[in-house]
Structure formats: structure tokens, C-alpha cells
Amino acid sequence: GAESNGCAVVSAALSYGLDWDRHALAQVVLREHGLLCFLANSRHGHTAAMRALDLLTANDQEVARARLRAQDASLRHSRYGRIVVEYMESGNSDQLFLSAASRAGA
């Protein structure tokens, strides 16, 4: 539905937009209550959550990771949430991102 289309648009914007826009959008994803965890649990949003983590400053990454860790049980019950948890546990890198995205069929 519309939510999955919206997640795909956010993911594309975080992946292919102008650098300044990508960083600003990552900040919005972090600021909007519950949005990061919602994205992390969704088919088309989990890549957006991982990209947002990559784009945030170190301090904001810690805030984002804390929010995601607080939802660990929920994330681990979701196929896509588990991918994000594994991504966080392994450390952020382009290779890990590509591997996670390919396992999810993205």
C-alpha cells in the first residue's frame, strides 16, 4: 500500500539524493518518533533505516542505535528487522549493506 511505497521513496532518497538532502532526511528519520523503528521493520524501509544510520553523525548514530536496541524484541520478530539488527551488530559498511540488501531481495 501507500506505506510501503513511501518507505521505498524514503529509501531511494537516502540512497541517491544530493548529499545535503540525504543527511537532512536522515535527521528527519531520527527526529520523527517511531519512524526509524517502523522503517527497520518494513520490507522497503529496512534499507532506509540502514542508510540513515550511515548518514548520521556519530552522536546521532548512538541515539539511533539506542532507539533500535530498545525495540530489539520487535526487530528480531521481523525478517527485515533482523537484517537491521545484524547490520548494527556487524558494524556499518557498504559491503555489509549490500549483503543485507541482497539477502532481503532488495
Side-chain angles (χ1 to χ4, degrees):
E3 288 178 359
S4 68
N5 291 339
C7 290
V9 169
V10 171
S11 183
L14 287 168
S15 296
Y16 304 110
L18 298 173
D19 282 349
W20 187 90
D21 292 336
R22 293 170 54 223
H23 286 88
L25 183 54
Q27 290 292 321
V28 170
V29 167
L30 179 61
R31 275 195 320 260
E32 288 298 316
H33 178 73
L35 182 57
L36 182 62
C37 292
F38 173 79
L39 290 170
N41 273 315
S42 70
R43 177 179 179 193
H44 297 291
H46 74 286
T47 55
M50 292 186 295
R51 277 291 179 221
L53 282 171
D54 288 343
L55 292 165
L56 293 168
T57 64
N59 289 339
D60 286 340
Q61 276 186 4
E62 286 307 312
V63 171
R65 288 172 181 274
R67 288 184 187 169
L68 290 167
R69 282 191 297 269
Q71 298 297 318
D72 187 70
S74 170
L75 292 171
R76 290 186 186 275
H77 279 96
S78 157
R79 171 184 177 182
Y80 303 103
R82 283 191 300 271
I83 292 169
V84 174
V85 169
E86 180 183 319
Y87 183 68
M88 287 191 323
E89 290 174 348
S90 301
N92 300 5
S93 78
D94 283 340
Q95 186 60 37
L96 290 169
F97 179 85
L98 293 173
S99 174
S102 68
R103 278 195 315 280

